[in-house]
Amino acid sequence: MIACNSLHLSNAHLIRGTGPLFHISGPVTMRLQNGMFSTSLTSSRLSNVTSCHKHRDDVSTTAQTSQKIVGCRVNDCSNHLYGTAIRDMNSGGNLLCHNTTFLHCTTEVPTNLNQYFYAHHNLVPSIKFHYFRLCTFLDCSATNTPGGAISSNSFEKTLKIEDCSFDSCRTRDGGMGGAVFHNAMRAIDTAAIFKSVSFLNCSTNHNGGGSISIFDSVVVSISECMFVNSQCESSGGAVALNQDTVRPSEAILSNCLFQRCTTTSTFSGHGVAGAAYFENLTSVRLDSLCFRNNQAGTGTGQDLFFDMLDTWLDQTIITNCVSTSMPANKRCSPSSHSNLLPDPTITPTVSLTFEQIEDQAKVNVELNSIVSGKVLVLVTNKGGTRVQQNGQPPHIARVLSFDVITATSGSTIVSCGEDGLLQLPLSDYKIVTSSFFPKPLLLAVNPASLNDKKTKVTVTMKGSLLEGEYTLTLSDNSSETKQIEVIVTFASSVGTLEEIVYDAETPANEKLSFNTKYSVIKMEKGGEKTLITDGLFFTIDPEPERLTGITAGEATPTSACTTTLLTFSSRVLQKKKEYKITLVSTAIPNHPSHERTINVKTDENGELKAFTATLYPFETEEAKKAGQLDFGVEYKVKSFFLDTTPILFDEGKTTFTTPPEPARIEECVKEELSGDLNSVSVVFSGRALKDGLGLVYATNGTSFWESTSNMDCSSESQCTATFLTGIIENSSQLSFGQKYSVVSTPSTPSLFVVNENVELAVPKAPTVTETETELNTSTCLSFRVVVSGDDLPSTGTFNASFEGMNEKIEIIFDENEGKSDWIEVRKNTAMQFNTTYTLSTLIRSESGKEDQHVLCSGVEMKTPKGPTLLRVGEVKLEGQEKETAVMDFEMTRMPVGSFTIEIIDSLDQSQTKIELTLDILSVSDATAVIRESVGEGEQLLYGHSYTVVGMSSIDIDVSISSSLALFVPTPSHFESISFSANTLGTSLIVSFSGSNLAGSYAVTLNSGFTFVIAASSPTQAASSAILLGWPDALPFSSSIPILSITSTSSPTSPISIKPALSLDTPPKPTELTLFVNSLSTDSTRFCGEKIQPCSTFDPAWVIVKGIDVKRATLAIIDSASLNAPITISDKMVVLFSNGGNKEPKLTIPSSATMEEKKGMVVVSDATLDIVDVDVVIESTLTSFVFLSAFNSDILVKDGSISGRPSANSPIANDDGEEENKICSWSSGILQIENSSTTISFSVLKNLSQGAINMKGGDLTIETSSFHDNTPTLPSFPTARRNIHCSDNGSIEIGSLNGGDGMETPSAWISVNDCSLTAKEAISHSPFFIPTLSTNSSSNLDKKTKSFSVVICGSTLIPCGLTLEVFEVNENKSEGKQTEVDLDLDTTSSFTETEVSLSIALSSLSSLSPSLEWRGRLRFGENLKTNESFVIQKSSSDRLSQSVQENMKWWLPLAIVAGLGLFILIVIVCLCWRRRKQNQTKSQSTKAEELDYQDDIEKMDVVDRDTVGGSIIASSAENVKDGALSRVKRSELLHGDDTQEIVPLAGQAKVLDVIVCEDKIVAKSAVVHMSLYDAFHKKDHRPLPRRSTEQKLVRGLLQLSNSSDSVRDLSKLSPHRVFIEGTELVFKLRDEISNTTKASTGTNPRQGEAHEEIRWRAPEEAIGEDNKLGEKGDLEKEDMKPADTEIDHLKASVFRLGLILYEIETGLVPFGETDAMNASRQLCSGMLPPMDGIRSSEMKTLISDCLTISVGDRPTLKSVLEKVNSIGCDDEDKSEIFKSN
């Protein structure tokens, strides 16, 4: 009894008493720390500790108390009243119990005290709480009282239990709540809270609640708790929640596991609710509960039972709860309110690892499948004992909680140590059970999309178990990270976020912005966080281009138009672009709606420039033009485009109104002069005109004239104004006949505007506008004046005055035209010819009439041209000595008379005039000729120039049109001729010497040949290069007279040749060297000089052939091309050689033309050397030939001839059959016939047509090589075409350096009937050398009586290849033999690596049937392979097997033989007959025999696994050569019989019995490796691809025929297929060891067991994972989720497709990610990359196998047929499969 005010016990050790250890009564503060309560006392440390059995209700309620029990242990306490170790008798305070263990504590209350117990607790209130944390209650019990561990009975007191465990707690005989009982006494604001509490094996044999029973609590919360093996007799195997009164009450259960909880009573109304019972609660919410194998005694409500009114039942909420109880209608009562889902093995397999970090522990959970939600794991430390041993604490159970988001692992941090959730050491903990609770999860966020107006963003989100409204917290990932909350409403786990998007100018408190990436960092609903997948985000597109506003400015009237300035506001438009805006007007009266289009450009900042819009009235034509707007009209934007791309615009901000129309003068409609010509009246038309507009102005651009008064406007469309006029324009008056522009004002603003095209035209006064003169052609010495103009007088005589002249000319007008009389022109008259005069006045001269002026000021008059000397012709020399100069003078308008022409010699410094006389006899245009002597002493001299300075007669001077000159030429003379030939002697240059040479001349020879020479000086002239030896050119060794020489620049120039000249040509050259360089741009045909090389061979070779040279050298300086064929014949010797320092290259372009079946270079009866030149052939034509030689000598030295590697496409040979394409071909780059050819130090490569094809003749190979001359035949990829010889040719090979003759044993030289001399490695088989593999096989088909032979090896070519079948005698010597030709006709399939054929027994009749038959290959000149293979074993071997077969019959007959000798004799006879039959049968068939490759003699079999399939020898000594006892077919490895092969300790050896193609083979386990290791281990020999695939599919097909094995086929993976010798073994039921790591990167995976999910089919995944994907990942109609409904054959086809992919590519499917993610990708329909698969047929097959839809996958049989039909590729033929 505690009577003090405060008690603090530290390190106390208390002895057991008959009552409770502590009885707290009154206002006491008690704290226990680190104490031990036990049944023994080592020393007395406390005194006055008593037990009160008759406690009454005299407890003080005036003060609050607080009890704390920390770090204590209570053992083996008992009491006969309430409370064994602790009793809180309504102390009114808090009880905190932390990290304390209660072990074997019991309470047994007499039956008559129960009523007192309840009555007592109803009297005294308590207002605080009981809090238990990290406490362990083990084996605690109560009898006749509730609460086996905790019983809380108080008013208004909250019970909270957290991180505690109750193990084997119970109540008996009237108690309830096997572990915890809480009675709130109908108080208000009470609560019972349980979190992370485990209940194991708790029970009550009476009322409800095998673990928890709660009465009258307002709120009950049970979360993350685990109930295992709870039991109750009545209601609620684990939990019973009751309300005696009707009042608001709420129960919330979440994330809890109920496993194997039961009620036992079978009476009606009892034994209900195997897991949880609810009575009279007004609100129940159940979320994420898992019910496993619970059972109600009456079968009503296997999991749940609701004993409530229908109104409250309707408010019951059950979400995400699953159950394994079957059938469904028994899970809950009433079933209509259950909403329980079936549990498809929802809990994944878990494993835990612990890491201690100081006083904390990091617990990692590993799962075997991807999950999302909460994982609860119940763990206990080691020992598991319920009693104290050696002073050590008992075991402690704890519930660990993990949040896992789409992963296979999770972790949590908990405290550890003495005061922690977990005790040390952590390694002691093991898993008791676990449960998984799927949580609402946000799985994916789709890309954001903007609406049409780009103002609102929509983001679709997908998840699981999402329903209702959620708050998402987003981060905008900016440098200053800002978090934003948005609301998303989900329906069926799909939600849509819709928010307005703001631009950069919007205030920062708005939510979403353009061009921003938002990451989802948190998701909540009702304050509870929701799981989200890492890395979820969406990005809002950059802000779109947008027109945000338009405003119109004031009207700006101009002379051209009225404008308004439109200004724009916009967002992020492109820079320097033109946008098109379509505007539509608002309809108003008399003004219908219309559209206008304007084009606006942006500046360098992307801002729209202001647009000046022109305004016109609506009804005018101008208004209808594009871009013109109307006055006073409202416009709004209809469309906004950049080119053809629509751009957004804000409709509400892009409306504007144009300003009203101003007054405007548009046209001057009438001008009228006044009677006195002093003024002009002007009438204007316009718009919006009115009085008061003021003056109007006329302007000529520099001056302004105002109207005499303000305009008089008679209407809105017409005004009148008056201007002064006069003859002369001045500051006050306008000029007659002039046009003036009309303006509103010269400077200041006006009330109106005038169009820019308005003109005022002052009417004309009578005016002379033009004068003409007319020559008197009869004399050519007079003219007259003719005037014309506007409004001239019709008649009258006027005097015309001219500026600067006193004389007046009288002009007489008649019919508006005025003419004068003839005016004479002499040397002394006032007017002269060809002179301009200005007419100043024209005034009427008639007396008695009013003066009348005709305006003529400034009009010019030009007199006509008089006599004129026009031109002087070219001076010609006449006479034998060219002594007379003949001069032509051309004149016009010449009168009759004698004229003198004056000239001056340009070389005469004195400028003495020379007079030439010329008489004109008639008036006309004339050409006169003057002859004048030339020479010394004469007026004219040779080579002198003269200038005409004058021509006149006595009365008149003659005009000279321009400066005229005379030149007296000097004759040209040619005196001698010479030539110089080029260095090749193929062309020459002709030179002439003489005098007075200039320009160019055409030289014509007597033969008719013409060439041109050019003068380089007055004494020298020469030609360009002239080709020799051509039919139409100069001949060699000839003397040809010159016929004539003519000047081409001046054909009439005098030329003299003195004396007669002839051209002598050089002799023809005998040898020629042409330098060829492709760098030259010279395109002339005269090439060949070293300084002037040709670009191609064409012109060079023409030169060679043209001059008929017998020896020519084509020296290639750098590189050249041959575009057209050339021919070498007639004993010609030609050399292609290196002409420079670089490596020369001769290219035959693909565009080169070649005569059919000839070649680019054709050599006939000639010699061709190709030395130090690389020939490159770009043509891809299969019939292309570079060199054709006939009866010639050919040398290829120090160079190469090569084609393009990419051109090695399959050859379309005209030979037809593929065999002929390999063995005999007619194509070849070098076609040589009856010629002598040498290939020295050269390379021939990449020639798919073939390198050399020779017929007859001889060929010598010296230190050369052949590379990759591959015809690309699909079945024979290594075949080459190096040399093909026929027609008794001769080949001599000195050496081959590398290439096909050295790197492989085959030289690929087809000699046919030719002779070959070469080193031994080539001569014994120059063509090809095959090899034979030991895995070649033969099977006898009994039905067809033939052997099915498969020959395996390399370089198996159908060219003279023969299979020799020979006998092997008993002494191992060879006997008879026969042979079978191997070609494409005699075999069923033929590839380089495998040949399949059938050999009839009849064809082998010459061989002895009792001997062993073996086969080998013969090739070449009777060469044979050293290897051979067995076709038939000897009869003795077959006999031993037959004897073993018959033993099972002989043993029972031997027992019967004891009955009598007669029976024994009969049996022996029968056996003898049976033996003879079996011997005959053995010779005719082999398929029924069992072939044991390893015979074991005297094996002591000490053990045989019960499952069969493995024979284990006790020691290696027992393993020797000899016989092996027969193994029954039932003992074959199969299904569960397959076990991991593990040798016994010591020297034991393991043997397996393996099924392979209907044969039973006992093999030594010398090779035991999975296909996965074979693919990926570097030290393993690569596998042949196609044969591995065939064996794999055949084995699966065989297993599929067994009903016991079909289900196991869906476990197929590379880890379960093993290599045993050369065969495959399927081990589909093993537990795969985790020791082998499956690695796709640098880190190992979880092990093969976890890695195997990579190969599962989608329909398997949906059954194994918890909703691996939502709709979109797996189409439910394509797959069946339940394991019982899976088509295992179809699932195995999917797995087979993945293994075929790995065989083909060497890569793990989706190996870049882990197995679970790889499975998810396959389930979504994604295929791994197919780039590494060479065969298109195999790609299609694998794609078909990996089809998501189960029904669309092929069968195993069709897969096998497809694999067999697909040919081998290059790698498989060479038995190389490179793993990656």
Side-chain angles (χ1 to χ4, degrees), residues 877-898:
L877 298 179
E878 292 181 348
Q880 184 68 30
E881 300 296 332
K882 309 299 182 183
E883 69 278 6
T884 301
V886 180
M887 296 169 283
D888 294 333
F889 294 89
E890 182 179 350
M891 296 163 288
T892 185
R893 299 180 296 274
M894 293 298 294
V896 175
S898 180

Side-chain angles (χ1 to χ4, degrees), residues 1528-1586:
K1528 296 181 181 179
R1529 185 175 293 271
S1530 61
E1531 295 176 339
L1532 299 179
L1533 293 181
H1534 180 68
D1536 287 337
D1537 297 343
T1538 307
Q1539 296 294 321
E1540 187 72 13
I1541 301 176
V1542 180
L1544 295 178
Q1547 302 296 322
K1549 183 177 182 181
V1550 180
L1551 297 178
D1552 277 333
V1553 180
I1554 300 168
V1555 178
C1556 177
E1557 300 179 359
D1558 296 329
K1559 294 186 296 184
I1560 302 175
V1561 184
K1563 291 193 174 182
S1564 172
V1566 295
V1567 178
H1568 185 78
M1569 178 180 292
S1570 69
L1571 274 183
Y1572 183 90
D1573 292 338
F1575 293 156
H1576 302 291
K1577 281 192 175 181
K1578 295 182 179 179
D1579 55 350
H1580 185 262
R1581 183 175 66 86
L1583 298 175
R1585 179 182 290 109
R1586 197 68 71 236

Side-chain angles (χ1 to χ4, degrees), residues 564-575:
T564 180
L565 190 65
L566 300 182
T567 57
F568 308 90
S569 59
S570 62
R571 299 290 306 163
V572 295
L573 298 186
Q574 298 184 39
K575 300 176 182 179

Side-chain angles (χ1 to χ4, degrees), residues 1008-1062:
F1009 185 83
T1010 301
F1011 59 91
V1012 177
I1013 61 174
S1016 58
S1017 69
T1019 60
Q1020 294 292 329
S1023 69
S1024 58
I1026 303 174
L1027 200 62
L1028 291 170
W1030 294 73
D1032 57 347
L1034 292 177
F1036 290 104
S1037 303
S1038 300
S1039 179
I1040 309 171
I1042 294 176
L1043 181 62
S1044 65
I1045 299 177
T1046 305
S1047 174
T1048 59
S1049 56
S1050 179
T1052 60
S1053 297
I1055 297 173
S1056 63
I1057 305 174
K1058 296 180 180 179
L1061 302 177
S1062 296

Side-chain angles (χ1 to χ4, degrees), residues 282-323:
T282 60
S283 175
V284 177
R285 287 193 298 165
L286 309 180
D287 179 63
S288 299
L289 303 181
C290 180
F291 300 94
R292 290 192 200 146
N293 303 319
N294 303 310
Q295 186 174 1
T298 61
T300 303
Q302 304 280 22
D303 298 316
L304 301 173
F305 189 94
F306 298 94
D307 188 3
M308 299 188 297
L309 297 177
D310 291 341
T311 303
W312 301 340
L313 277 174
D314 293 339
Q315 300 177 7
T316 300
I317 300 174
I318 303 178
T319 56
N320 304 328
C321 296
V322 296
S323 173

